[in-house]
Amino acid sequence: MTENLKIDFAHNQSAHCENGVVSNLMKHNGFQISEPMVFGIGSGLLFSYLPFLKVNYAPVFTYRSMPGFIFNKFAKRTGIKMKREKFKNPKKAQERLDQNLAKNNPVGLQVGVYNLVYFPDEYRFHFNAHNMVVYGKQGDRYLISDPVMEEVTSLSIKELEKVRFAKGAFAPKGHMYYPISFPEKLELKTAIVKGIKQTARDMTAPVPIVGVKAMRWVAKNIRKWPKKLGPKKANHYLGQIVRMQEEIGTGGGGFRYIYAAFLQEASTLLDNPKLMELSTEMTSIGDAWRDFAVDASRIYKNRNSQSSGYEDVAIQLEVLADREEHFFKTLKKAV
């Protein structure tokens, strides 16, 4: 294949990598789909607490559905056919990528963040569910559209291989994906309703590890941590909640804002004014998540190491759980 290949691909910056990749790939194929629309239809919003899974020596708290899930659900609900591939062999993975580029086909990749050389150091940690688009190759460098970056960038063959085959939890195994066929017209209305119903169902699910029940479980644990784990470990765990909320991808507050934007668009498309009201409420919930993060960070940065601080943030989280429970029950009825 030729060594210089650049697909005419429009890079749009987005708030979150997976939504951004999907939105940019859709636009490339002639469908004007916004980032919030991808997130809402793909049921991206979630809260989950996985104490049995550790990342950076602390339990996993996630504010969104599993990596890859948004794209899968979005494709299924809108009638798009996706091709996904994983590889054992890095050479094979590179060949398949090159074949796609030769066919003028930009490709989504799942990669590890830790060795992404264009990321600032403070954002490089062991997290293997970042998404980007490769849209060309010049010499021994791949052209990268990473939706969380302002400008396009590039990685050498070696650098790209390293992030595609990062080790650890959610190891990407060279994971690449791209759309292969589209319906004539995207059925957005039914897709929106399905997306909303699933998010409402997940957030009010009767199991302790997801949704508002998980939020209450975390609040309960926050109260126990200082005594049970000692101040250093308790601070590390609390730091993990905030880091997962505010630094990984878009964060809990940020995801709530994206969801609010989705409801605003959905309100117009479905001609449903109730969704516009709920959009405003979700923005306000996003603000409350941000306040929670600020207060929690004060504790683990040792500006407030009294255990009363832990009690305060636990109460804040319980109030958020109550608000989100009421919100998602109302949302379910609204569609």
Side-chain angles (χ1 to χ4, degrees):
M1 84 168 247
T2 51
E3 279 308 288
N4 282 342
L5 236 176
K6 187 177 178 184
I7 297 166
D8 185 15
F9 183 83
H11 172 79
N12 298 286
Q13 193 178 15
S14 68
H16 176 250
C17 65
E18 191 175 341
N19 309 328
V21 164
V22 183
S23 175
N24 284 345
L25 285 174
M26 291 301 293
K27 285 173 181 161
H28 180 75
N29 287 286
F31 296 92
Q32 289 307 311
I33 299 288
S34 71
E35 177 189 7
M37 195 45 75
V38 170
F39 186 64
I41 289 176
S43 301
L45 192 80
L46 192 65
F47 181 84
S48 186
Y49 174 40
L50 308 169
F52 43 83
L53 204 65
K54 298 276 194 286
V55 169
N56 294 334
Y57 309 104
V60 169
F61 308 89
T62 172
Y63 295 79
R64 51 156 292 190
S65 56
M66 288 284 284
F69 185 96
I70 297 172
F71 208 160
N72 279 348
K73 289 284 178 199
F74 175 81
K76 198 174 161 193
R77 287 172 182 157
T78 53
I80 295 159
K81 288 222 164 21
M82 292 290 307
K83 176 115 171 111
R84 295 184 164 280
E85 300 176 74
K86 288 191 175 188
F87 304 87
K88 285 198 174 80
N89 179 337
K91 270 277 158 284
K92 264 271 175 294
Q94 191 192 326
E95 272 168 32
R96 290 292 292 137
L97 177 59
D98 289 349
Q99 284 163 9
N100 269 290
L101 296 176
K103 289 180 192 153
N104 225 15
N105 198 13
V107 168
L109 296 183
Q110 179 191 336
V111 296
V113 168
Y114 189 71
N115 289 303
L116 274 183
V117 289
Y118 57 78
F119 263 30
D121 281 354
E122 61 273 23
Y123 288 111
R124 289 169 63 178
F125 44 91
H126 292 287
F127 177 67
N128 286 334
H130 186 62
N131 291 266
M132 56 161 70
V133 173
V134 178
Y135 69 97
K137 190 179 186 182
Q138 289 183 330
D140 71 340
R141 295 193 75 78
Y142 283 100
L143 307 180
I144 309 289
S145 162
D146 186 323
V148 302
M149 303 300 284
E150 229 169 291
E151 304 290 337
V152 290
T153 181
S154 68
L155 290 172
S156 72
I157 291 173
K158 270 274 157 280
E159 287 163 350
L160 185 62
E161 185 178 302
K162 204 167 182 178
V163 294
R164 287 185 77 186
F165 286 88
K167 302 276 186 279
F170 303 119
K173 300 182 176 126
H175 184 189
M176 61 188 263
Y177 53 88
Y178 46 93
I180 47 176
S181 79
F182 299 90
E184 271 175 43
K185 190 173 168 292
L186 294 187
E187 269 311 319
L188 288 185
K189 288 181 183 178
T190 48
I192 287 169
V193 173
K194 279 182 185 160
I196 286 176
K197 280 185 170 165
Q198 182 175 358
T199 300
R201 200 168 56 236
D202 291 347
M203 286 302 294
T204 54
V207 284
I209 58 168
V210 296
V212 296
K213 273 207 162 26
M215 288 158 71
R216 292 186 182 116
W217 190 20
V218 174
K220 212 165 157 175
N221 283 344
I222 288 175
R223 289 190 172 91
K224 295 177 188 165
W225 285 343
K227 259 203 172 108
K228 193 177 160 190
L229 306 171
K232 198 177 171 193
K233 204 169 180 183
N235 273 354
H236 180 59
Y237 278 23
L238 197 58
Q240 176 91 323
I241 296 181
V242 176
R243 188 176 199 182
M244 293 260 180
Q245 184 186 322
E246 294 304 324
E247 288 175 21
I248 291 186
T250 311
F255 283 133
R256 269 68 190 159
Y257 297 138
I258 296 174
Y259 203 73
F262 158 67
L263 290 176
Q264 206 172 342
E265 269 191 71
S267 165
T268 309
L269 275 168
L270 299 178
D271 193 19
N272 182 337
K274 183 69 184 161
L275 296 182
M276 196 62 87
E277 273 173 49
L278 286 165
S279 163
T280 310
E281 168 64 4
M282 184 43 85
T283 301
S284 160
I285 289 173
D287 293 341
W289 273 108
R290 286 276 149 95
D291 296 341
F292 164 80
V294 169
D295 292 347
S297 65
R298 280 199 190 108
I299 297 168
Y300 70 79
K301 285 174 181 160
N302 248 342
R303 291 182 215 140
N304 178 0
S305 52
Q306 286 86 26
S307 62
S308 67
Y310 279 87
E311 177 62 32
D312 293 344
V313 292
I315 291 168
Q316 267 176 292
L317 193 52
E318 283 164 345
V319 170
L320 272 163
D322 291 345
R323 282 184 73 180
E324 292 212 351
E325 181 170 28
H326 179 256
F327 176 89
F328 285 107
K329 283 180 172 167
T330 312
L331 178 63
K332 203 174 182 176
K333 287 190 191 120
V335 293

